Amino acid sequence: MAEPVLHVPSLSAEPNSDAAISVRGLTREYRRPRTSLRHASAPVRALRGVNFDVAQGQRFGIVGESGCGKSTLLRIISGLDRATSGTVMVEGTDITGLPDRRLGFLRERLQLVFQDPMGSLDPRMRVGQLIAEPLVAQGHGRSTARVAELLEAVGLQPDAARRYPHQFSGGQRQRISIARALAPEPHILVADEPVSALDVSVRAQVLNLIADLVEELELTLVFVSHDLSVVRHLCDTIAVMHEGVIVEMGPTESIYENPQHPYTRTLLAAVPTLRKALTGASAADLAEGVQ
Ligand SMILES: Nc1ncnc2c1ncn2[C@@H]1O[C@H](COP(=O)(O)OP(=O)(O)O)[C@@H](O)[C@H]1O
Ligand SMILES: [Mg+2]
């Protein structure tokens, strides 16, 4: 059976140096362990030719089911993994061929928030240290005032700085991760399913926080979710990924109102109930509060 055509806008062959992020022809293959002495296993093709531009200030959502290559894509645009082929340009700099030691500049341009805040927060460090760490790493020194400002920005009390990650709820820990990501004043925030591990009531609050910060700090946002209702709330543009390619991309409303690709229609038919949680968020906002 022929694959359905892709519904994506046409892009220049070369990456766009004016974009916040420009990706062309990106592939990533992972080797699988050999299962036969005579034949090498076929590699896993996690990305099979991905192209897109994220403009400065755009809020770009990437959706697709588990295993379609979303995290692989984010790791590569953040310099944490390497493409097999293709080009990634971040704010006009081609990072594809750069050695790790020359990727340090990326940290001041682009920061990541992951799904599991416990996995990215060292449990032995106090919250103040955790938030100051990226500042210290960049030679800015540790500023108590700056840490307090960041805690306030994410809705936590200044005394949170003296406590440890395990003393907070899941939602609060994700707030700490966001404060840490914002510490180096990045222009681009990349979030990989940042609310998927949280209770539904808390999700809405964290999403609202991200939306407010993106607007206030004029950030470019790349936001990944397997859940279309989450990206609809936050993003102006959506890319739908399926088996390592973007099958459809366009303004959020047109993806919702007039989906073109059969896979997008399948995803939309399965949209869960987050909208209910979002509209009921105000009571939950008060309930979670800040200890
Ligand atoms: N380090 C790795 N080694 C081998 N295979 C991997 C690795 N990382 C991801 N994969 C495979 O690549 C595909 C895409 O994975 P991933 O990017 O994590 O998808 P998603 O984030 O959309 O769930 C999956 O088939 C996954 O098993
Ligand atoms: Mg993932």
Side-chain angles (χ1 to χ4, degrees):
M1 202 179 75
E3 286 207 18
V5 289
L6 306 180
H7 296 274
V8 295
S10 56
L11 293 165
S12 58
E14 295 300 314
N16 178 355
S17 57
D18 293 331
I21 300 173
S22 187
V23 167
R24 292 293 183 275
L26 205 65
T27 73
R28 178 66 164 101
E29 295 183 356
Y30 292 109
R31 247 178 262 167
R32 253 194 283 242
R34 198 177 255 268
T35 51
S36 145
L37 284 176
R38 276 201 285 168
H39 304 287
S41 302
V44 178
R45 300 175 70 202
L47 300 177
R48 302 186 293 142
V50 172
N51 304 291
F52 63 85
D53 287 341
V54 180
Q56 306 279 355
Q58 198 171 357
R59 288 168 289 136
F60 189 82
I62 303 173
V63 292
E65 68 202 305
S66 179
C68 73
K70 304 181 298 296
S71 295
T72 301
L73 177 61
L74 293 197
R75 283 199 303 271
I76 293 172
I77 64 178
S78 310
L80 303 176
D81 187 18
R82 298 294 182 161
T84 304
S85 63
T87 310
V88 177
M89 201 172 250
V90 178
E91 294 186 340
T93 305
D94 182 352
I95 64 165
T96 342
L98 291 182
D100 287 349
R101 67 185 154 76
R102 296 205 28 217
L103 287 177
F105 79 96
L106 263 184
R107 301 282 73 88
E108 295 193 23
R109 298 194 183 180
L110 178 155
Q111 282 284 326
L112 274 149
V113 175
F114 297 97
Q115 176 173 344
D116 170 21
M118 269 323 243
S120 52
L121 299 176
D122 184 336
R124 295 161 304 183
M125 286 169 74
R126 291 179 199 269
V127 166
Q129 285 175 289
L130 283 165
I131 293 174
E133 192 183 42
L135 298 170
V136 175
Q138 283 161 2
H140 295 304
R142 187 182 167 179
S143 153
T144 312
R146 176 78 179 132
V147 169
E149 186 181 274
L150 286 159
L151 284 170
E152 191 190 347
V154 299
L156 294 170
Q157 300 290 345
D159 69 357
R162 295 198 304 272
R163 296 158 66 195
Y164 292 92
H166 74 263
Q167 295 175 285
F168 295 86
S169 69
Q172 290 169 335
R173 279 199 291 268
Q174 201 55 294
R175 290 173 191 265
I176 295 166
S177 304
I178 293 167
R180 181 175 152 91
L182 295 178
E185 299 184 43
H187 314 157
I188 306 169
L189 185 66
V190 175
D192 192 355
E193 311 240 19
V195 300
S196 302
L198 303 178
D199 287 348
V200 173
S201 62
V202 179
R203 274 184 207 175
Q205 299 159 26
V206 174
L207 288 174
N208 288 335
L209 173 68
I210 293 174
D212 289 347
L213 290 168
V214 164
E215 188 169 321
E216 199 179 310
L217 302 171
E218 298 178 4
L219 300 175
T220 302
L221 177 69
V222 180
F223 188 99
V224 155
S225 179
H226 64 276
D227 180 345
L228 258 173
S229 60
V230 168
V231 288
R232 183 178 200 177
H233 176 66
L234 268 181
C235 299
D236 52 53
T237 306
I238 292 182
V240 179
M241 259 181 98
H242 183 49
E243 295 180 351
V245 285
I246 293 176
V247 296
E248 182 162 1
M249 177 159 51
T252 301
E253 281 319 303
S254 74
I255 299 277
Y256 264 84
E257 303 304 334
N258 192 16
Q260 299 294 311
H261 195 277
Y263 181 71
T264 311
R265 296 198 185 116
T266 313
L267 268 190
L268 279 170
V271 168
T273 54
L274 190 83
R275 194 175 318 168
K276 220 164 71 188
L278 285 173
T279 49
S282 43
D285 273 336
L286 295 172
E288 190 202 28
V290 175
Q291 287 170 20

